[in-house]
Structure formats: structure tokens, C-alpha cells
Amino acid sequence: MKHTSIRSKLITLLYIIIIGLYLVMLAVTTPATRKIIETNNELSMKMLSTEKITDLNSHMKSVERAVNILEKYIYESLDFERMKTDSNYTNSFMDRMTLHAIDAALCAENVTTVYFRPDPNVYGSQSGIFIINDNYGNFIRTTPTDILKYPSTDREHVAWFYEPKQKGTPLWMEPYSNMNINVYMISYVIPLYNKQGEFV
């Protein structure tokens, strides 16, 4: 009987020592483990955000390149004065411009729309081109927004025209809801000027 009693006491003591050591180890390692997990999570988030920033920069640079190519094409190909009076010339140019705009959009990343909109007070409120991604990878030409239908302060309909015009230099616009096509977006726009420095 004494052997069983001593054995039981030793086993119980051993269990108590093991549980005590486990609790001490747990108390010592839990903060260190938590710190390691937090550090790993922080590093993972930094790496993910760096990757996303790199992706976003790549998308934005591809859009800038596409718009710069279209700007160069317009300056090399378009007679702004003739466009005021010759509708056949204007229509022919807009058809060619549409093809160039579609090519540029297909070469860029995440493009929803491409537009070239001459000053509505000089060339007409719906002059120019407006092409839109049909969500199947195709770009189709649609009727341009009637710019003069909206006040210049209407950000949801005509900010893409008036904000770059007011700034006078290439502009990445702040995100906005474009109610013409019901898309929340950002736009990169380059305002154009004729040889006399007048806004076109």
C-alpha cells in the first residue's frame, strides 16, 4: 500500500512540476511569440503594399505613355483652324483619332475611357471623340457628353474637362464618380493649346 501511495504522490508531483513548467514556459514565450507574429504580419503588409504601389505606378505610367502618344499625334496631325470650318476634315480626323485612341487604350492598363474633346465654345458642345471599354476588352465609340449642358462646377459630369483646363498642365485628377458612365475613376488629362497658346 505504501508503494502505491508513494508512487501516486510522485506521479502527482511530476504532473504538477510538468504543468508548472508548461505554465512558466507559456508565460515566457507568449509575448515573444506574439511579437514575432506581429513583426511577420507587419513585414507581410509592407511587402504587399509595396507590391501594390509598384503595380499601381506601372498602370499609371502606362496610361501616361498612352496619353502622351495621343497628344503627339494630335499636334502632328490636326489643323486646329481647319477643324473650325471644315466638317469633312474634322470627321475624317476624328475617325483616325478613334483608331489611334483605341490602339493606345489597348496598350495601356486598366483603361475605361479615352476622349479627345475640343473646346465646346469654339468647336461645338459635343465635338470630339469618346470611346469606352465595353467590359469585354473592346473599345467602342459613343456620343460625347454635351459639355455645355452642365456647369463647370459639376464634378460628376464635366470635371474631366474643366479641371485640366483650369490647371493648364497635365493632371491626374482626384478620384470622382463619372455619372456620364456611372464609374468611380481617376483620369489623366493633358490640355492642348494651339500655336498661339490658346486653349483647344
Side-chain angles (χ1 to χ4, degrees), residues 72-73 81 102 108 112 115 117 119 123 153 170 178-179:
K72 183 177 180 188
Y73 173 75
E81 289 303 312
I102 291 171
T112 302
Y115 51 89
R117 299 302 309 276
D119 186 341
Y123 301 98
T153 55
N178 186 326
M179 297 309 292

Side-chain angles (χ1 to χ4, degrees), residues 81-93:
E81 289 303 312
R82 187 171 174 193
M83 191 170 77
K84 290 178 186 176
T85 57
D86 188 340
S87 61
N88 288 332
Y89 171 78
T90 302
N91 292 336
S92 175
F93 176 80

